[in-house]
Amino acid sequence: MAGLRSFLVLFASLGALSAAQCPYGHTSARSESETLEKREAPPPTGEHFIDQFVVNDTNVYLTSDVGGPMEDQNSLVAGDRGPTLLEDFIFRQKITHFDHERVPERAVHARGAGAHGVFESYGDFSNITAASFLSKAGKKTPTFTRFSTVAGSRGSADTARDVHGFATRFYTDEGNFDLVGNNIPVFFIQDAILFPDLIHSVKPQQDREIPQAATAHDSAWDFFSQQPSCLHTLFWAMAGHGIVRSFRHMDGFGVHTYRFVTDDGKTKLVKFHWKTLIGKASVVWEEAQALAGKNADFHRQDLWEAIESGHGPEWEFGVQIMEEDDALKFGFDLMDPTKIVPEELVPVTKLGKMTLNRNPTNYFAETEQVMFQPGHIVRGVDFSEDPLLQGRIFSYLDTQLNRNGGPNFEQLPINRPVVPIHNNNRDGAGQMLVHANNAPYSPNTLNNGSPKQATQAEGRGFFTAPNRSVSGKLQRAVRSTFEKDYWSQPRLIFNSLVEQEQQFLINAIRFETSHIKSATVKTNVVKQLNKISNKIAKQVAEALGMTAPAPDSQFYHDKVTKGISTLGTPLLKLAGLNIGVLTSTKSIDAATVSTLKSAFKADGVNVKVVGESLANGIDLTYSAADATDFDAIVVAAGSSKLFDDPITQASSLYPAGRPNTIVLDAYRYGKPIAFVGNAKAAQQSIQIPSGPGVYSDLKGRFVSNSTYGGMNNRTREKRDAQAEDNSVDLATNLRQGLKTFRFLNRFPVEK
């Protein structure tokens, strides 16, 4: 019995046993003190603490759920052609588990991707917060981050226009802290009681379940136009933030105002920010639509491949810090989640850096089962009176109870903290711990008062900011301090975009509202837009065949703020971007490919070679390639015949005109394009005009290996030197082009 008892206690400590561990191994009797010491040992910490739960199925026999070796390829039947027997426990175990493999998908943020990482503090910030993960320079804390879209189901496309979730769990040495935010710093509504209405409106129409993952329908815009608090977030989403290049190329925000609390109870109001260290970037709408059909997993794939290649994305973590007395200083209430504090007024103080460096081992066990909650906070962080945040604290817990079917979801490996858990919670579905304490209540004497109460003074317990107070009569109304100005901040966002991005935003609204059937809804939308900008309202009205409204200038202004554009500033890093080299399998321009790979290796840029058919040196066929696969296109020497008349040069290896289409679409999407050597003929045949981001004026040309045969050594050396010069010229141009990312001069703007 002593051996069995020690095994059970060890099981409680670890939570789950690896299949490599044999539960029937020899155990010897231990004293009670030894048993307790073993049980209290904390689990492994550090970046890879979750590895203790990984099951390694290498070189082992298949077992039942309770450890018995077995086979499961054939059902147990009565005779050669008889029925399957009810006693076939192997079949029943296998099929029953399969039948229950799925948990309910999230009501929102169902489509997501996640990764492990590490956060490193820049310093000791105990002067503003008691949070232990910010208590020392260089202190590292493991993290898990999940990115997502909001409205679509798990089966929707990554590139649907939407707000993007940015949820990060800090596995701190004082418990889990979840910062559950978005890539947009504001939200549609001020009060959580409106959240069901918002989501019901933006989800697919309930009578036909379409459109999926889109708001281009009547109910969404009916709600937006009736609830003008939505306009601010809507403008962010209609701009490039709704169709980001990747999860790596976007910022993140905590959305709400929180509090930092020091050990002695002093508080500051803070807003959380994640600043990408790669740079912000977005795709254009036509490209996003093509990606939805060509590669619905575009963002998932990008994140996975970036981390696998050793170029995991990085963000700086920072806060805008404000005094409690400044809650109404900025012309609005800091508790209003539909408003931003411009960084010109309150700069972001950088606290540390997060790097995502490890992909999940199992998507379901980690990314799907991670259950974030705004209610997961730690000592040093506290809530504010933001009514949307207050509602989320309740709603997220309720959601996780529904998804998991019981209260023990915190015991799943991805949800466990890196520190031991001690509480009086008991039983429930999926209980994975064997509790030795037979006095699960407080206060108690039978277990010497344990677990003891951790307070502000003892045990470094969480404590609510002592200066928080509430007074006043009960009411059910919008807060008087929540200004009824819903239009000036959307205009601030619009003013802060470059003119091509402004046109993109207008065109996005045109696309969305062109799908509206109700004349009343269209009229209401134009009225709301006219309170932001007569220019926007006129252009949308024109597209909808409506009469343009007269200006309504009550909230018009010319103010701007920084950090809004996703295309107006160069990228900071190029890692994970893709250059497509269009060549011919019959005459691969090996010199161009070699020099490009060498030039961009240190940048982490992928050079992919496209040809008619797969062969040595060809990564992708034209039939499988598309302009959306690449961030820059190089048309290599020796490939010009592929770009002749697509009708007379039709091939069964790829759709008619595919090489031309790749180049033309890349140009239409604003991407850098280079024509090497005699490929300039392709530029002329496709009618790609010269201009910014189109490189075809190189000195001489690259030479392919296939042309070396007729040269003497001196000629070869001369051509090699020329090719080397041109490789530098091409690499320099392409590098600058990739940093620019989109050449906005190619997009028309209405004056």
Side-chain angles (χ1 to χ4, degrees), residues 486-601:
Y486 303 115
W487 304 278
S488 61
Q489 285 215 346
R491 185 178 177 92
L492 177 70
I493 301 308
F494 184 77
N495 291 346
S496 303
L497 301 173
V498 299
E499 62 176 354
Q500 288 86 354
E501 286 182 296
Q502 290 180 341
Q503 191 65 58
F504 290 162
L505 186 153
I506 293 171
N507 292 346
I509 298 176
R510 283 170 160 177
F511 173 88
E512 295 262 325
T513 54
S514 68
H515 291 78
I516 297 174
K517 308 302 181 185
S518 168
T520 300
V521 173
K522 283 190 266 192
T523 299
N524 289 337
V525 168
V526 172
K527 285 181 179 179
Q528 293 290 353
L529 295 175
N530 198 39
K531 294 180 180 181
I532 300 170
S533 164
N534 185 245
K535 172 183 176 180
I536 301 173
K538 287 173 64 176
Q539 291 192 28
V540 171
E542 178 188 12
L544 298 180
M546 299 170 61
T547 302
D552 181 0
S553 59
Q554 181 180 0
F555 300 107
Y556 295 173
H557 63 81
D558 296 322
K559 298 176 183 178
V560 298
T561 186
K562 64 180 181 180
I564 308 301
S565 173
T566 61
L567 293 175
T569 55
L571 294 181
L572 304 175
K573 294 181 181 179
L574 303 180
L577 298 187
N578 301 301
I579 297 174
V581 180
L582 307 189
T583 186
S584 173
T585 306
K586 299 176 182 178
S587 58
I588 300 174
D589 190 349
T592 297
V593 174
S594 176
T595 51
L596 285 175
K597 286 186 175 181
S598 176
F600 286 97
K601 182 178 181 180

Side-chain angles (χ1 to χ4, degrees), residues 68 72-73 91 108 129 148 151 158 162 196 273 314 328 330-332 395 403 452 464 475 537 548 577 591 655 723 737:
D72 73 344
Q73 294 301 288
F91 165 75
V108 289
T129 177
S148 57
D158 283 348
D162 204 347
H273 292 251
E314 299 175 326
L328 301 175
F330 304 100
F332 57 88
S395 180
R403 292 192 69 228
K452 296 179 290 186
T464 297
Q475 63 177 29
L577 298 187

Side-chain angles (χ1 to χ4, degrees), residues 84 124 138 146 157 163 183 216 219 224 255 322 325 387 467 506 546 554 575 585-586 590 628 635 664 675 695 718:
T84 301
D124 176 1
R146 185 178 184 271
V163 176
N183 77 318
S219 63
F224 297 155
V255 179
M322 296 150 287
D325 293 339
N467 61 348
I506 293 171
M546 299 170 61
Q554 181 180 0
T585 306
K586 299 176 182 178
T628 57
V635 183
L664 186 59
F675 298 91
Y695 312 113
K718 182 177 179 181

